[in-house]
Amino acid sequence: MSATVVLRHAGSPSGEGSSAAEKKPGRKRRRGRKAGPGEDGRARYELTGAAVDAAGSPVYLDRELPPGGAEEYVSARKRSVRTFAMWTDPYRRHLWARVVTASAAEGRPVRYDVCAAAGEIVGSVTRERSFSGGSVRARWTVQQAEGPGAVGYKGRWFWWCVWWLISPLQAVGAVLCVVGGDGDLFRMPRRVRYFAGGRRVLDYGSGFEARHLTAETEGWDPRMLAALTALHSSHDGIMGDSWDTGGYEPPAPAAGSAEAAEASAPGS
């Protein structure tokens, strides 16, 4: 029985509050809308679906900024560095899981660790850039600390061939978008199908739905599925609409949260 995780703007009913890119199948709105900060400091995004029901769906998602704030985060993400947290309440009081960058050396695969609220590692996700490691397509590997693992590649060969064939037209379209102030461009292939033992076990970005992951087999930790959805949606490509860009800086964690307690601890 399959289970799905969907990333969307926090507080949006299903199908609402999505960016223009998500509403137009296979196409990317040049000026997509990012989720705005809540006036009371709520997390901007949420992950919902049967795969995270055990946490009391939805799970709330936002970036964790370094000391240099959003500017430093945006600079670091160019090197594939990502750091974000997931909570079981919109005010970020109760930590559920955290994604941290374990290694991001230049020219090497990037590894992200998925950690539980108490800090133990639930699993890891490794991303190898396209045209590296002997693969033309970007390669993703997910491995749980206790449970199955799988390997997937971004896009199918057919759609990559179509993309490269129309890329000259894309360049012209990009110029027209800039001149006209608006417009649509076809995005790069983004679907990632994960296989283990010759069987498809995970499927990200299938059909016309953006930012959604389906687990087609059992044995997956919901924190791994949520983290993988957030990571894929953060690596949406140069013409995509990654959720974790921009200069928004959230307020300090709410009083009583794990983050607030850590920040106020002696010696911190």
Side-chain angles (χ1 to χ4, degrees):
M1 183 176 181
S2 63
T4 300
V5 182
V6 178
L7 189 155
R8 65 188 188 190
H9 297 171
S12 298
S14 179
E16 296 179 12
S18 300
S19 68
E22 296 173 65
K23 292 182 178 179
K24 190 162 289 190
R27 306 181 78 180
K28 194 265 180 186
R29 190 77 170 177
R30 183 167 179 80
R31 292 187 176 182
R33 178 174 62 87
K34 290 287 187 296
E39 294 180 358
D40 50 5
R42 288 175 294 175
R44 299 178 297 161
Y45 294 89
E46 65 185 21
L47 295 150
T48 186
V52 293
D53 280 347
S57 181
V59 170
Y60 297 89
L61 169 73
D62 219 324
R63 305 179 297 186
E64 287 196 310
L65 299 179
E71 183 177 354
E72 182 180 343
Y73 182 94
V74 172
S75 176
R77 79 182 300 282
K78 296 176 182 177
R79 305 189 305 275
S80 295
V81 174
R82 302 290 192 275
T83 307
F84 43 82
M86 294 169 278
W87 302 267
T88 55
D89 70 294
Y91 296 97
R92 301 181 293 131
R93 296 189 184 97
H94 307 292
L95 184 66
W96 184 60
R98 176 178 277 125
V99 176
V100 298
T101 304
S103 62
E106 185 175 358
R108 303 288 298 172
V110 181
R111 193 182 91 241
Y112 305 98
D113 284 343
V114 182
C115 305
E120 67 272 23
I121 295 178
V122 176
S124 64
V125 178
T126 302
R127 177 180 179 268
E128 297 178 55
R129 298 173 64 92
S130 57
F131 298 98
S132 66
S135 175
V136 175
R137 296 174 293 170
R139 184 177 190 265
W140 291 77
T141 304
V142 56
Q143 182 60 59
Q144 299 185 105
E146 298 181 5
V151 176
Y153 292 87
K154 185 175 182 179
R156 302 180 70 173
W157 281 114
F158 172 79
W159 291 114
W160 276 116
C161 290
V162 171
W163 165 262
W164 287 114
L165 285 173
I166 67 171
S167 57
L169 298 177
Q170 289 282 82
V172 175
V175 173
L176 294 176
C177 287
V178 172
V179 174
D182 202 356
D184 295 321
L185 295 174
F186 284 93
R187 66 167 71 240
M188 291 181 175
R190 65 181 169 211
R191 185 179 182 183
V192 181
R193 300 182 302 163
Y194 287 85
F195 289 84
R199 180 185 181 187
R200 189 174 69 191
V201 295
L202 299 172
D203 194 353
Y204 173 80
S206 61
F208 294 142
E209 294 294 330
R211 299 177 176 177
H212 107 236
L213 173 76
T214 300
E216 301 185 357
T217 57
E218 298 181 351
W220 295 98
D221 189 303
R223 294 166 295 191
M224 287 296 300
L225 297 178
L228 192 58
T229 304
L231 281 169
H232 276 305
S233 302
S234 172
H235 288 277
D236 209 27
I238 58 174
M239 301 188 70
D241 190 25
S242 300
W243 66 269
D244 66 326
T245 58
Y248 165 63
E249 298 196 16
S257 68
E259 293 90 336
E262 181 180 341
S264 62
S268 61

